[in-house]
């Protein structure tokens, strides 16, 4: 396991994922909610640290978002979270999914954050200490996701792997099929890289076969997909999507592709 999210925190893909996550959480509010984050990371990222400075990805992502005058309203909750975390000053810290989810919890909600890497989990558990309704586990999130999802009521499973292993796609399909069998009311939000279309289309076909339910796909193509060795964009897949998610996803992905990409495009569609 070599992946370190600190190099990528606050990049275009985090903006898309986290803005969409906050839109989903807002729509699931109103009844008790269980959230399971299968790949949680460390919770909070230091953009002044060596990793973020070396990659420059946050400069090209959250720093540009915070300076933009034309970002759509769907980015407002994420921008507000970043502003709050940085006391209104320059963005030196960026919130990961655990931070955003823990801040959005209401009384009666619960959140389980799984992180496999011991040092990342240590940082995560320190960040989450004392937060109401939050548990962290140093564990494989795929192994726990289905069993930890309540069999009825509102649930959200966030799946955001590093895609270092070739079996990530198969494990996502397996997890979503298990989730669908366990709780039909559950929502899942999955983040995937877009490198070449063959891999992504193959994943969608496998998912369609395994999960007999419609899902929503949001593609953010930062550049034409001509070099399969590059991360040319990212995709979100939503199972059990709340009603009316397509317009906010189009706004989020469209702005990101147009503003932060090179001849970028975005599309949202149901499968
Ligand atoms: N979801 C986080 C966020 O939005 O802030 C970022 C997560 S990062 C893309 C992926 C994380 O998954 C890494 O911290 C990595 O150590 C961890 N990881 C890798 N394999 C895992 C597994 N099978 N179960 C749980 N965590 C895993």
């Amino acid at each position: 396991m070599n992946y370190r999210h600190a190099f990528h925190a606050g990049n275009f893909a985090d903006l898309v994922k986290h803005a969409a996550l906050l839109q989903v959480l807002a729509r699931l509010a109103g009844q008790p909610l269980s959230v399971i984050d299968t790949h949680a990371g460390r919770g909070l990222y230091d953009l002044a640290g060596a990793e973020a400075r070396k990659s420059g990805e946050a400069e090209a992502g959250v720093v540009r978002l915070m300076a933009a005058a034309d970002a759509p309203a769907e980015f407002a909750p994420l921008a507000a979270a970043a502003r709050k975390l940085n006391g209104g000053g320059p963005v030196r810290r960026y919130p990961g999914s655990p931070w955003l989810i823990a801040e959005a919890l209401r009384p009666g909600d619960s959140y389980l954050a799984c992180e496999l890497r011991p040092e990342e989990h240590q940082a995560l558990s320190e960040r989450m200490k004392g937060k109401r309704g939050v548990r962290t586990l140093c564990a494989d999130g795929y192994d726990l996701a289905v069993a930890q999802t309540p069999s009825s009521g509102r649930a959200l499973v966030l799946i955001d792997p590093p895609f270092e292993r070739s079996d990530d796609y198969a494990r996502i399909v397996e997890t979503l099929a298990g989730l669908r069998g366990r709780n039909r009311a559950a929502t899942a939000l999955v983040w995937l890289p877009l490198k070449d279309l063959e891999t992504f289309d193959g994943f969608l076909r496998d998912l369609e076969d395994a999960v007999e339910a419609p899902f929503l796909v949001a593609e953010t193509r930062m550049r034409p997909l001509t070099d399969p060795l590059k991360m040319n964009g990212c995709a979100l897949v939503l199972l059990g999507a709340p009603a009316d998610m397509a317009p906010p996803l189009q706004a989020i992905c469209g702005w990101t592709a147009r503003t932060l990409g090179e001849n970028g495009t975005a599309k949202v569609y149901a499968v």
Side-chain angles (χ1 to χ4, degrees):
M1 290 199 302
N2 291 318
Y3 183 88
R4 298 275 192 294
H5 196 65
F7 285 98
H8 311 294
N11 71 358
F12 80 88
D14 261 6
L15 299 184
V16 167
K17 170 180 63 191
H18 292 149
L21 170 66
L22 292 178
Q23 293 292 322
V24 172
L25 284 168
R27 284 167 173 74
L28 294 180
Q31 286 175 31
L33 175 69
S34 295
V35 185
I36 294 135
D37 192 353
T38 58
H39 296 70
R42 61 194 298 123
L44 201 59
Y45 296 90
D46 175 14
L47 301 185
E51 295 97 336
R53 280 192 288 119
K54 185 168 179 202
S55 74
E57 291 187 27
E59 281 293 322
V62 65
V63 173
R64 289 189 61 190
L65 170 68
M66 299 307 279
D70 64 343
E74 288 76 5
F75 275 109
L78 177 60
R83 215 171 289 118
K84 184 174 167 197
L85 197 51
N86 289 284
V91 202
R92 298 230 161 78
R93 300 201 297 167
Y94 182 77
S97 53
W99 185 271
L100 295 169
I101 294 166
E103 288 282 301
L105 293 186
R106 292 167 170 83
D109 293 349
S110 67
Y111 171 42
L112 171 64
C114 302
E115 169 56 48
L116 192 54
R117 205 181 174 103
E119 62 275 25
E120 293 293 285
H121 176 262
Q122 180 62 34
L124 172 68
S125 75
E126 278 160 25
R127 290 287 177 218
M128 295 293 114
K129 205 172 277 168
K131 292 200 182 278
R132 189 174 52 188
V134 178
R135 274 189 308 146
T136 71
L137 284 176
C138 188
D140 185 320
Y142 292 122
D143 284 350
L144 297 183
V146 175
Q148 290 288 334
T149 300
S151 54
S152 61
R154 282 194 181 161
L156 171 64
V157 178
L158 172 64
I159 306 180
D160 180 24
F163 289 90
E164 279 182 318
R165 295 173 50 120
S166 56
D167 65 356
D168 272 315
Y169 291 96
R171 293 195 79 190
I172 293 169
V173 170
E174 189 190 344
T175 304
L176 293 185
L179 188 66
R180 185 77 187 151
R182 182 158 174 83
N183 180 348
R184 285 188 165 253
T187 300
L189 174 62
V190 185
W191 181 93
L192 302 111
L194 275 184
K195 291 183 174 173
D196 62 287
L197 277 183
E198 287 74 14
T199 307
F200 187 61
D201 286 346
F203 165 77
L204 291 183
R205 275 196 303 274
D206 290 347
L207 191 58
E208 224 180 330
D209 290 344
V211 178
E212 283 167 8
F215 46 92
L216 200 58
V217 182
E219 293 184 16
T220 305
R221 299 187 184 188
M222 298 296 279
R223 61 180 78 86
L225 308 188
T226 47
D227 181 353
L229 296 179
K230 278 191 177 167
M231 188 164 92
N232 294 307
C234 66
L236 298 173
V237 170
L238 262 154
L239 180 67
D244 301 335
M245 268 308 292
L249 287 174
Q250 187 65 53
I252 290 165
C253 301
W255 181 86
T256 304
R258 272 194 317 277
T259 312
L260 306 182
E262 307 148 32
N263 296 322
T265 55
K267 61 176 179 170
V268 177
Y269 51 97
V271 174

